[in-house]
Amino acid sequence: MNAIPRAFLLAATLATSAGQASASSIQFDIAGLDALSSSVLGFDFIDGDGPSNSVYISHINTDGIAGSVTLIGGASASTSGGYLLEDSAFYSSLQLEYSGASQISLHLATTDNAPAPGMFEDTLAIYLLDISSGLPSIFTDEPLGTNALISWTASGLGQGNLLVYGPLTPVPATWTATFLNDPNPVPEPGIPLLLATGIAGLLLTKTLRRGS
């Protein structure tokens, strides 16, 4: 194989690997918590195929008072005030307790890498939990019966799959989750692609000089 095909093969390979990384930004809001003496938001992150994804929780706003924080598995607190969930463990969990809160809003920043062949998608679920029992305090129409408020799975298709569930019975609380970024972004050239293009150009120039 001469220099020109090798250069363009390298460019294509690096361009493909550069395009595999994607991410999503999700805004989550819940309101109508006044009827509850305290609220616990639970975040469960389930690993389906080994370490490949993470969820960063930040921009937490509430009119309540923050209480205890519980971290399990690949969950950790950030020095910037947020919380990181990594799939370094099969099960990672974060629980945030608030008292006197009527509303809570926060931002989720996720990676969205596809699962390995034959493996399962990484999954995040958010719950409203009872402080005394640790069980969901709202029954939802989540099909597996976990009573999650929302779920997100890493598909590798850009942002992942986001589902918002509704209550099975009337409850005072309401919640929403929406993507903040364009669901179909136009990819920009990354550093690997630019580097490969430059190498291809150099090899092409060198080959043409030799042939002249």
Side-chain angles (χ1 to χ4, degrees):
M1 183 181 292
N2 60 35
I4 296 177
R6 282 203 309 271
F8 284 100
L9 178 61
L10 175 61
T13 301
L14 290 178
T16 301
S17 63
Q20 290 175 345
S22 53
S24 65
S25 298
I26 301 170
Q27 179 67 39
F28 173 78
D29 299 276
I30 184 167
L33 302 175
D34 310 67
L36 304 174
S37 58
S38 61
S39 304
V40 179
L41 277 184
F43 304 80
D44 288 351
F45 194 36
I46 306 298
D47 173 42
D49 66 338
S52 60
N53 284 296
S54 64
V55 178
Y56 183 62
I57 302 163
S58 64
H59 299 81
I60 303 174
N61 292 300
T62 179
D63 54 359
I65 300 174
S68 63
V69 176
T70 303
L71 303 168
I72 298 174
S76 61
S78 167
T79 55
S80 60
Y83 300 92
L84 181 65
L85 293 173
E86 299 178 285
D87 56 357
S88 55
F90 170 72
Y91 174 75
S92 300
S93 179
L94 166 68
Q95 293 185 10
L96 302 176
E97 179 185 340
Y98 297 95
S99 59
S102 63
Q103 63 82 27
I104 303 171
S105 65
L106 53 88
H107 179 253
L108 305 168
T110 77
T111 60
D112 182 37
N113 296 309
M119 302 297 286
F120 299 97
E121 297 173 329
D122 296 335
T123 302
L124 171 75
I126 300 181
Y127 304 85
L128 187 65
L129 305 175
D130 179 78
I131 189 172
S132 57
S133 66
L135 298 175
S137 57
I138 291 178
F139 296 99
T140 72
D141 57 8
E142 192 279 321
L144 297 179
T146 66
N147 296 306
L149 305 179
I150 74 165
S151 67
W152 171 87
T153 54
S155 64
L157 300 177
Q159 291 185 310
N161 298 317
L162 176 64
L163 295 173
V164 181
Y165 306 107
L168 284 180
T169 57
V171 294
T174 59
W175 55 91
T176 60
T178 55
F179 284 119
L180 295 178
N181 46 336
D182 185 356
N184 297 297
V186 177
E188 297 181 0
I191 292 177
L193 176 57
L194 296 175
L195 177 61
T197 304
I199 293 174
L202 290 174
L203 290 176
L204 176 60
T205 301
K206 185 176 181 180
T207 302
L208 293 175
R209 286 177 178 174
R210 285 179 177 175
S212 60

